[in-house]
Amino acid sequence: MARRVSKRAWEGYTRRLEAQRAAAYDDAYEWVVRNVPSRGRLDMKRLRLMMVEAANHHGKSTAALAATWFDQMARAEGADAMKAVPVNDTAKTRVKRMAICSNKALPKLEAGDVEGFARAIASAVAADVKRQATNTVMLNAQKNGAEYAWIPGGAETCAFCIALAANGWQPAAKATAMGEHADHIHDNCECEFAIRFNESTEYGAYDAQKYADIYGDADGRSSQDKINSIRRELYAENRDKINEQHRERYAAMNGGG
Ligand SMILES: [Zn+2]
């Protein structure tokens, strides 16, 4: 009999992942707002240390959550799978990535855009945390012959995520470069990899056809053109809402410090 993963079970899992990602974002954001001196230079070494520590700390929790969920899925489907191993990049890789991200964000700070700088730093940390969950799911799925799908979630879904979701279920063994997804996802991405061991298993939270239709109907011939045209539509819908949220957040931080 086909198994169905309820929307509620899926959202329970993704909400817990999201809470960790959001906590990492908040930690980093607050640190920047509190530590950027009104005169003089920010100590970039301290900044990077904070980024690595926040990403490690919250990333470990997300990787453990993802591994536990993987094991639960395998058990529920009667799959002959090895116990999932949480995946973390080496410290060296993380230090390097955070150095690149902080250098890239630096012009914002130099231009006096503390808020923009804080957002870029926090996003880099949050993306790293998310990567640890997605890599855990993907690498264990590859080892155990599972299929994966990218299920959009949260209030904002980016065009790239819609294009991924439109692919439907794929054998994990065929997935190419790791981190490919994590590198493209938007700042507040709450989409996650779902897995299944049996082709008949369905997710209540995933309507693959809906995303295939959005993608199929989008203007453009190449996938990049299609992603761009979906992005333009989404951007027009969300622009005002997002700007307002960012302003409120910054005002609350500054007033509440
Ligand atoms: Zn997304």
Side-chain angles (χ1 to χ4, degrees):
M1 202 181 75
R3 207 166 88 68
R4 191 175 169 84
V5 179
S6 72
K7 194 160 185 257
R8 196 163 150 216
W10 173 250
E11 286 176 354
Y13 164 62
T14 55
R15 239 197 317 270
R16 280 188 297 155
L17 286 179
E18 173 52 23
Q20 286 296 330
R21 197 191 63 82
Y25 186 102
D26 289 347
D27 283 0
Y29 189 97
E30 285 176 28
W31 190 96
V32 172
V33 172
R34 292 188 205 293
N35 285 277
V36 166
S38 46
R39 281 159 200 267
R41 299 171 74 89
L42 174 66
D43 183 341
M44 292 296 278
K45 222 168 131 188
R46 270 186 68 223
L47 171 80
R48 284 173 196 148
L49 195 65
M50 174 282 290
M51 292 173 79
V52 169
E53 278 174 2
N56 265 337
H57 174 70
H58 295 287
K60 252 186 215 148
S61 307
T62 58
L65 271 169
T68 301
W69 182 74
F70 186 97
D71 290 338
Q72 283 168 354
M73 286 295 294
R75 244 195 329 269
E77 298 200 30
D80 182 22
M82 286 177 278
K83 191 167 164 41
V85 188
V87 176
N88 286 291
D89 291 326
T90 60
K92 215 172 145 189
T93 309
R94 178 155 302 118
V95 168
K96 206 169 141 195
R97 193 181 295 135
M98 292 308 164
I100 293 169
C101 291
S102 56
N103 284 338
K104 226 169 114 188
L106 198 55
K108 287 190 171 48
L109 184 61
E110 286 166 349
D113 180 9
V114 178
E115 187 212 343
F117 180 70
R119 228 191 290 152
I121 295 298
S123 294
V125 172
D128 194 278
V129 168
K130 189 176 182 76
R131 184 194 312 260
Q132 294 176 62
T134 52
N135 283 2
T136 294
V137 173
M138 185 53 98
L139 289 178
N140 284 287
Q142 283 175 338
K143 269 198 295 196
N144 291 286
E147 288 190 325
Y148 74 92
W150 186 246
I151 303 191
E156 302 164 29
T157 301
C158 80
F160 187 76
C161 288
I162 289 174
L164 281 179
N167 286 335
W169 290 97
Q170 306 278 332
K174 283 197 185 147
T176 47
M178 270 325 302
E180 191 187 332
H181 299 87
D183 290 340
H184 285 82
I185 51 183
H186 48 109
D187 282 359
N188 296 307
C189 180
E190 294 178 32
C191 318
E192 294 292 341
F193 280 128
I195 46 153
R196 68 181 184 186
F197 296 86
N198 301 313
E199 275 180 25
S200 59
T201 299
E202 294 292 345
Y203 278 64
Y206 182 45
D207 183 352
Q209 192 55 48
K210 181 178 97 181
Y211 297 107
D213 288 346
I214 297 175
Y215 185 79
D217 292 344
D219 290 337
R221 291 177 111 151
S222 69
S223 72
Q224 195 53 56
D225 287 347
K226 281 175 173 289
I227 288 174
N228 286 341
S229 78
I230 296 171
R231 181 171 294 136
R232 275 192 299 274
E233 276 173 41
L234 292 174
Y235 185 71
E237 279 172 29
N238 284 331
R239 183 180 41 209
D240 298 339
K241 200 174 74 194
I242 293 168
N243 284 343
E244 180 61 23
Q245 280 167 358
H246 287 153
R247 267 195 303 274
E248 277 173 15
R249 181 187 191 91
Y250 188 63
M253 284 291 314
N254 270 345

Short mmCIF file of all heavy atoms in Angstrom, two decimals, residues 150 152-153 156-158 161 185-186 189-191, ligand 1:
data_model
loop_
_atom_site.label_atom_id
_atom_site.label_comp_id
_atom_site.label_asym_id
_atom_site.label_seq_id
_atom_site.Cartn_x
_atom_site.Cartn_y
_atom_site.Cartn_z
N TRP A 150 12.62 18.36 -4.06
CA TRP A 150 12.82 19.63 -3.35
C TRP A 150 11.43 20.22 -3.11
O TRP A 150 10.74 20.58 -4.05
CB TRP A 150 13.67 20.55 -4.22
CG TRP A 150 14.10 21.85 -3.63
CD1 TRP A 150 13.72 23.09 -4.05
CD2 TRP A 150 15.04 22.07 -2.56
NE1 TRP A 150 14.35 24.05 -3.30
CE2 TRP A 150 15.16 23.46 -2.39
CE3 TRP A 150 15.76 21.21 -1.72
CZ2 TRP A 150 16.00 24.02 -1.41
CZ3 TRP A 150 16.59 21.77 -0.76
CH2 TRP A 150 16.70 23.16 -0.60
N PRO A 152 9.10 23.10 -1.81
CA PRO A 152 9.04 24.50 -1.37
C PRO A 152 8.23 24.66 -0.08
O PRO A 152 7.29 23.90 0.17
CB PRO A 152 8.34 25.21 -2.53
CG PRO A 152 8.62 24.35 -3.71
CD PRO A 152 8.57 22.94 -3.16
N GLY A 153 8.64 25.62 0.71
CA GLY A 153 7.92 25.89 1.96
C GLY A 153 8.13 27.32 2.37
O GLY A 153 8.93 28.04 1.77
N GLU A 156 8.09 32.81 1.38
CA GLU A 156 8.70 33.23 0.12
C GLU A 156 9.33 32.01 -0.56
O GLU A 156 10.05 31.26 0.07
CB GLU A 156 9.85 34.21 0.39
CG GLU A 156 9.46 35.45 1.14
CD GLU A 156 10.70 36.15 1.69
OE1 GLU A 156 11.77 36.04 1.06
OE2 GLU A 156 10.58 36.80 2.73
N THR A 157 9.03 31.82 -1.81
CA THR A 157 9.70 30.77 -2.57
C THR A 157 10.41 31.41 -3.75
O THR A 157 9.81 32.19 -4.47
CB THR A 157 8.69 29.73 -3.08
OG1 THR A 157 8.02 29.19 -1.96
CG2 THR A 157 9.38 28.62 -3.82
N CYS A 158 11.67 31.08 -3.92
CA CYS A 158 12.39 31.71 -5.01
C CYS A 158 12.21 30.93 -6.30
O CYS A 158 11.79 29.77 -6.30
CB CYS A 158 13.87 31.86 -4.67
SG CYS A 158 14.83 30.37 -4.89
N CYS A 161 14.05 27.67 -6.53
CA CYS A 161 13.41 26.58 -5.79
C CYS A 161 12.22 26.01 -6.57
O CYS A 161 11.99 24.81 -6.57
CB CYS A 161 12.94 27.06 -4.42
SG CYS A 161 14.33 27.34 -3.28
N ILE A 185 20.01 29.08 -3.25
CA ILE A 185 18.75 29.38 -2.59
C ILE A 185 18.73 30.78 -1.99
O ILE A 185 19.75 31.33 -1.65
CB ILE A 185 18.40 28.33 -1.51
CG1 ILE A 185 19.58 28.13 -0.58
CG2 ILE A 185 17.96 27.05 -2.17
CD1 ILE A 185 19.33 27.09 0.45
N HIS A 186 17.54 31.29 -1.89
CA HIS A 186 17.34 32.66 -1.42
C HIS A 186 17.52 32.76 0.09
O HIS A 186 17.53 31.74 0.79
CB HIS A 186 15.95 33.14 -1.83
CG HIS A 186 14.86 32.15 -1.52
ND1 HIS A 186 13.94 32.33 -0.55
CD2 HIS A 186 14.60 30.92 -2.04
CE1 HIS A 186 13.12 31.29 -0.50
NE2 HIS A 186 13.50 30.42 -1.39
N CYS A 189 14.96 30.99 2.50
CA CYS A 189 14.46 29.75 1.91
C CYS A 189 14.09 28.76 3.01
O CYS A 189 14.89 28.42 3.86
CB CYS A 189 15.52 29.14 1.00
SG CYS A 189 15.00 27.61 0.24
N GLU A 190 12.86 28.29 2.97
CA GLU A 190 12.43 27.27 3.92
C GLU A 190 12.11 25.97 3.19
O GLU A 190 11.43 25.10 3.71
CB GLU A 190 11.20 27.77 4.71
CG GLU A 190 11.54 28.94 5.61
CD GLU A 190 10.33 29.47 6.35
OE1 GLU A 190 9.43 28.67 6.68
OE2 GLU A 190 10.28 30.69 6.58
N CYS A 191 12.58 25.86 1.97
CA CYS A 191 12.37 24.64 1.20
C CYS A 191 13.38 23.58 1.67
O CYS A 191 14.45 23.93 2.16
CB CYS A 191 12.57 24.91 -0.28
SG CYS A 191 11.84 26.47 -0.83
ZN ZN B 1 13.40 28.00 -1.32
#
